[in-house]
Amino acid sequence: MTPVNEVFDQLSLGVMAIDLDYQITHINQQGACLLQVKEEDVLGKNVYDLFPNAPEEVRHVERTVRTSEEFTFEAIPYQWGKYNLYLSIRTRLLKENGKVNGAMVEYSDVTDFYDKEQRMMKWMEDMSVNVIPLSNGIVLLPLQPIMDQIEFQYILDRGIHNVTQMGAHQVIIDCSTITTVDHVFFEKLSKLIQSLSLMGVQTTISGMKPILSKTWVSSNLPTIKVKFYSNLQVALKNLYNSVR
């Protein structure tokens, strides 16, 4: 084993190199382990012969040889045949005396991290549309500071779905936990209110701080029919009094 090979084998990420004919010239221990192959079985083999069924979307090192373009991906699905992973990928051109003689790819298994990230995102999405049933057809939608980090279409679709499932005719959107927003936030909020209105659902907004009110006014959005209350307690008191 050469000193270079010994260094590569100490790495926690996989490393594989190919030449201009797509033949594997090097693969370290971690790289072989991730691809579930043995080093002695793959060295000198053409990657297209070794992995004939690999889809084109995972052949980034081959693309680097073909196009001279280097690629970096934080997490890509490596899911075909026996593989069910998410890998981080970084490819590099290999040059000698200014001439390209192949490419290498560094890759590591980020499946656990990706799964945790997806679970966290799902939790954030669910929190952003946590519709709480109250009584008399009234439901509460407490907006969360994470709303800006969630795809708004999900909030719109899921929020309307939850309200419909509960048979609500009145929604209280509480903004008491929201401290900083921009005009885009109110554009999204207006779309949500308009969508609910088209379904015959009235909207009440509570807990909007002065800074939020100023931002809304300065956004020059069209006027919408909605009642505002300083806090949730006042909103509930007025709404329940109106339905008695």
Side-chain angles (χ1 to χ4, degrees):
M1 181 179 293
T2 67
V4 173
N5 287 344
E6 291 180 355
V7 171
F8 277 133
D9 283 338
Q10 297 302 314
L11 297 176
S12 60
L13 50 78
V15 176
M16 185 176 73
I18 64 174
D19 61 21
L20 298 179
D21 294 320
Y22 306 107
Q23 291 182 337
I24 297 176
T25 58
H26 179 81
I27 187 168
N28 70 347
Q29 290 180 0
Q30 180 66 4
C33 181
L34 288 174
L35 296 181
Q36 302 174 38
V37 297
K38 294 181 179 179
E39 180 181 358
E40 59 269 24
D41 293 337
V42 302
L43 288 178
K45 297 289 182 65
N46 186 291
V47 287
Y48 284 98
D49 294 333
L50 191 63
F51 305 109
N53 299 317
E56 191 60 33
E57 57 264 26
V58 304
R59 294 188 179 277
H60 299 296
V61 67
E62 295 94 320
R63 288 172 57 200
T64 295
V65 169
R66 188 168 61 250
T67 66
S68 295
E69 184 179 358
E70 298 178 339
F71 303 96
T72 300
F73 301 94
E74 293 184 359
I76 66 164
Y78 199 79
Q79 298 169 325
W80 57 278
K82 61 183 178 181
Y83 303 110
N84 186 26
L85 305 169
Y86 280 87
L87 298 178
S88 68
I89 297 288
R90 181 179 182 182
T91 67
R92 299 182 183 182
L93 284 171
L94 296 177
K95 299 180 180 180
E96 186 174 355
N97 298 323
K99 184 178 180 181
V100 174
N101 58 14
M104 66 176 286
V105 56
E106 302 170 355
Y107 50 102
S108 59
D109 184 357
V110 294
T111 306
D112 288 344
F113 175 79
Y114 179 83
D115 288 343
K116 289 178 182 178
E117 187 179 62
Q118 292 303 301
R119 288 196 297 270
M120 179 62 71
M121 184 60 69
K122 181 63 168 61
W123 176 81
M124 290 173 64
E125 289 175 342
D126 290 342
M127 282 291 292
S128 69
V129 284
N130 184 27
V131 180
I132 303 170
L134 300 176
S135 61
N136 299 323
I138 301 174
V139 298
L140 172 65
L141 173 57
L143 295 185
Q144 305 296 327
I146 59 176
M147 181 176 171
D148 280 347
Q149 303 176 41
I150 305 298
E151 176 61 42
F152 179 69
Q153 192 59 47
Y154 178 88
I155 297 176
L156 188 63
D157 294 343
R158 192 65 184 173
I160 291 175
H161 171 78
N162 289 348
V163 170
T164 303
Q165 288 292 99
M166 295 177 184
H169 61 76
Q170 179 78 48
V171 176
I172 303 174
I173 298 179
D174 186 66
C175 302
S176 58
T177 64
I178 307 297
T179 56
T180 58
V181 295
D182 54 19
H183 291 175
V184 176
F185 174 89
F186 288 115
E187 290 176 6
K188 295 176 179 179
L189 184 58
S190 294
K191 288 180 181 178
L192 177 59
I193 294 171
Q194 291 167 11
S195 298
L196 291 170
S197 177
L198 290 173
M199 296 167 53
V201 180
Q202 295 182 328
T203 300
T204 295
I205 294 180
S206 65
M208 185 167 290
K209 295 175 174 56
I211 185 63
L212 304 188
S213 303
K214 292 179 181 178
T215 304
W216 191 330
V217 171
S218 65
S219 66
N220 295 319
L221 289 170
T223 303
I224 55 176
K225 294 182 179 180
V226 60
K227 294 181 179 179
F228 292 88
Y229 294 95
S230 58
N231 58 60
L232 181 58
Q233 183 178 2
V234 174
L236 288 172
K237 180 179 179 180
N238 281 271
L239 286 175
Y240 283 131
N241 286 337
S242 67
V243 297
R244 286 177 182 174

